[in-house]
Amino acid sequence: MAKLYFKFGAMGCSKTAQALITKFNYEERSMKVLLLKPSVDTRDGTDVVRSRIGLESRAVCVPADRDIYALYTEQYRDRKVVIVDECQFLTPEQVDQLGQIVIDYDVPVLCFGLSTDFQTHLFPGSRRLFEIAESITEIKSVCRCGAKATVNARFDDEGHVLFSGDQVCLGGNDRYMAMCRRCWLKCRQAQEAQGIFT
Amino acid sequence: MAKLYFKFGAMGCSKTAQALITKFNYEERSMKVLLLKPSVDTRDGTDVVRSRIGLESRAVCVPADRDIYALYTEQYRDRKVVIVDECQFLTPEQVDQLGQIVIDYDVPVLCFGLSTDFQTHLFPGSRRLFEIAESITEIKSVCRCGAKATVNARFDDEGHVLFSGDQVCLGGNDRYMAMCRRCWLKCRQAQEAQGIFT
Amino acid sequence: MAKLYFKFGAMGCSKTAQALITKFNYEERSMKVLLLKPSVDTRDGTDVVRSRIGLESRAVCVPADRDIYALYTEQYRDRKVVIVDECQFLTPEQVDQLGQIVIDYDVPVLCFGLSTDFQTHLFPGSRRLFEIAESITEIKSVCRCGAKATVNARFDDEGHVLFSGDQVCLGGNDRYMAMCRRCWLKCRQAQEAQGIFT
Amino acid sequence: MAKLYFKFGAMGCSKTAQALITKFNYEERSMKVLLLKPSVDTRDGTDVVRSRIGLESRAVCVPADRDIYALYTEQYRDRKVVIVDECQFLTPEQVDQLGQIVIDYDVPVLCFGLSTDFQTHLFPGSRRLFEIAESITEIKSVCRCGAKATVNARFDDEGHVLFSGDQVCLGGNDRYMAMCRRCWLKCRQAQEAQGIFT
């Protein structure tokens, strides 16, 4: 039986590259893949998914109010696998719709994304995936200290780690770095010792 | 470096037996273990943790308002490992306190528990563990159909699966059964076809 | 589809307890289990499998020249799951027979055992399981230093680690200890520095 | 502490892409990587490692008689990570040398490769990695039937699956396909039913 997969990892762990390699592998076996990406505006469309290492592919963009089950049923029934990049931005309802595709069509759905934001809180899509995914695996990456990175630290222009702010900050990954919890908490202590409260 | 571990599984997957075996293994290597269990009332105390297969051990019960970091620091600094059974009932603050024990004392903390309730929603303690644990692993079990069980179905006295109610229903495990999402949704459909809405 | 599972771990990692808990879980779901154990002599029989933590169960003992596929087909077709304890002592042919049970009867076969001997060489049964098992997972345990234990060190009566000898040394587990590779190699160095070559 | 990692998978599971992504991730964190590849002739040299999806990188080629510990110590002490592609072609001695680099320099060594040949037998390098690696993980891929692929089937020019021959057949991957054990055994049966014994 097909499963709903959640493959989560910290910033810079190559989630997108993993998504594109998985797509490539299925296509090599002649299985057509639907690649989805949650979009931040309200229009359906296509967009290019790019990994930092240089892989890319066209994806179907789905806004938050789009019913993915209907989308699949009406337009993509020929696809034997569904892959979602940046799945943390799915709504919980969309995760349930993906879960229903798995059950009704016996099609595997693989979701790649972050689990937590820069304050170590789950994204809504990630929360729902932890709740109903049949397979939960971590894509590992390392902190600068060599330990496993689990926190997505956000930095301001002066290089201070931020501990408050909006969950989603449009404008890019250059302000994020994956760290281990230990180093992240040390940064906070060091900043607060200098009277910097972010 | 020590880690915070979340070992989650569905009802009847032998989480408690795993917790007790882990305790046994550490003690065989002469490492003293602190076994904790969240309590439902407001008194500290000791209680017996029992697994269905017949293993048991005394545990320190911690009510929701107890600071576990302080508890460890003041009374249990000699313990080289902390194990928590039924960790889904920890408060998010208590999970953070356990995470701080890991960092400040380099002591591994292993938390065993459910991830979701009978409506497939995360428990508060489980949510926080998914957010900050350095290691997340599933203890697997099977549905009656042979697939992996991921849903903790709750039943009423007539054997109907319940889809509404309080998250915590004191009075026992005999009303729960781990099922796969597919079988659980089929039960709902079958019940609703008979006009039964629970 | 059912799978052949190899769940390997070092001495003292509670492999047998895991095997017995797995048996218990399946039986709770009313699935009959065949528990097997390779025997060292040439007679079929029954024996008791015991874990150090106190669990035990009767098992069917199979000598090295017994065809397990025939045994299952002729006597145990009603068993929906096969569990093997001490699977490192299976012959490669017996592992293939178990693999054929998986395929022909769609019955899961779960093998629990050591991967390597005291010289870090694979046992014949473990080698074949690494070759054909559809699922390979490690049951982890810790070295006295806190690192993951992967080597099954053998000791002589004076407490020296042994680096030569027969692969199977009947007479008990009291002469073994799971260690990490680092500590094990340090022991060797320390002994050799004292002129002790074992 | 650093570990020796064995990341094994069947043909076409993107092992090389995974090796190159891992290299990229470490380099993004400013950790210099030594990428090695066992060579089939007897000269040291450099070569290009290429994945089917289009990633590539220069690698240091090591012949079977090269001492990798000495190579690292003499020429590459500045590298903080060692990654090996096609690790199944390492000699057991070279795997031990890599294991010694891990211990003596606290440098992680990540080995990517096949576990078994077209007859489901371990390669010498893979066998030694199963014996001493501190971390063993599978890179999964799918059979054409949708099940997990675990066998590397070899085909002749007429498209028959081969069940005898040399372990290493130079001349390319185009004659291999990853399959599940079930489909692979069915191929054998079907061929033998037609009187074809390969």
Side-chain angles (χ1 to χ4, degrees), chain A residues 11-14 17-18 20-22 24-26 28-29 31 52-55 140-144 146 149 178, chain D residues 11-14 17-18 20-22 24-26 28-29 31 52-55 140-144 146 149 178:
Chain A
M11 288 267 177
C13 76
S14 298
Q18 298 291 345
L20 296 180
I21 286 173
T22 304
F24 178 86
N25 286 352
Y26 274 109
E28 267 203 336
R29 281 155 189 76
M31 296 168 79
R52 291 161 303 120
I53 203 174
L55 303 175
K140 294 178 185 172
S141 60
V142 289
C143 179
R144 56 191 181 189
Chain D
M11 288 264 177
C13 75
S14 297
Q18 299 292 344
L20 296 180
I21 286 173
T22 303
F24 178 86
N25 286 352
Y26 275 109
E28 268 202 336
R29 280 155 189 75
M31 296 167 80
R52 291 163 301 122
I53 203 174
L55 303 175
K140 294 178 186 173
S141 60
V142 289
C143 179
R144 55 190 181 189

Side-chain angles (χ1 to χ4, degrees), chain C residues 1-141:
Chain C
M1 297 303 231
K3 288 182 184 168
L4 177 63
Y5 297 84
F6 182 25
K7 296 176 181 283
F8 69 98
M11 288 265 177
C13 75
S14 298
K15 288 178 301 296
T16 298
Q18 298 292 345
L20 296 180
I21 286 173
T22 303
K23 177 170 180 285
F24 178 86
N25 285 352
Y26 274 108
E27 289 172 345
E28 268 203 337
R29 281 154 190 76
S30 307
M31 296 167 80
K32 294 184 79 172
V33 173
L34 173 60
L35 179 61
L36 297 177
K37 185 184 170 181
S39 66
V40 290
D41 56 30
T42 55
R43 294 164 303 172
D44 280 349
T46 61
D47 194 8
V48 174
V49 168
R50 271 193 195 81
S51 73
R52 290 162 301 121
I53 203 173
L55 303 175
E56 61 176 51
S57 176
R58 294 175 71 83
V60 174
C61 287
V62 284
D65 57 359
R66 187 70 165 103
D67 180 329
I68 298 180
Y69 185 87
L71 178 73
Y72 177 81
T73 306
E74 291 160 14
Q75 300 181 38
Y76 297 105
R77 280 288 306 279
D78 61 325
R79 308 301 170 94
K80 298 309 176 206
V81 183
V82 178
I83 296 176
V84 185
D85 192 32
E86 303 274 17
C87 64
Q88 71 272 11
F89 295 133
L90 292 168
T91 66
E93 292 71 28
Q94 287 177 322
V95 173
D96 282 318
Q97 291 154 12
L98 289 166
Q100 203 63 42
I101 292 173
V102 171
I103 289 180
D104 289 354
Y105 297 106
D106 201 27
V107 159
V109 175
L110 300 100
C111 298
F112 295 79
L114 301 174
S115 57
T116 55
D117 64 23
F118 76 105
Q119 291 177 307
T120 75
H121 295 146
L122 294 181
F123 285 95
S126 312
R127 180 179 57 71
R128 192 62 188 145
L129 282 161
F130 276 130
E131 291 179 337
I132 70 165
E134 273 89 25
S135 168
I136 294 170
T137 47
E138 186 178 2
I139 303 173
K140 294 177 185 173
S141 60

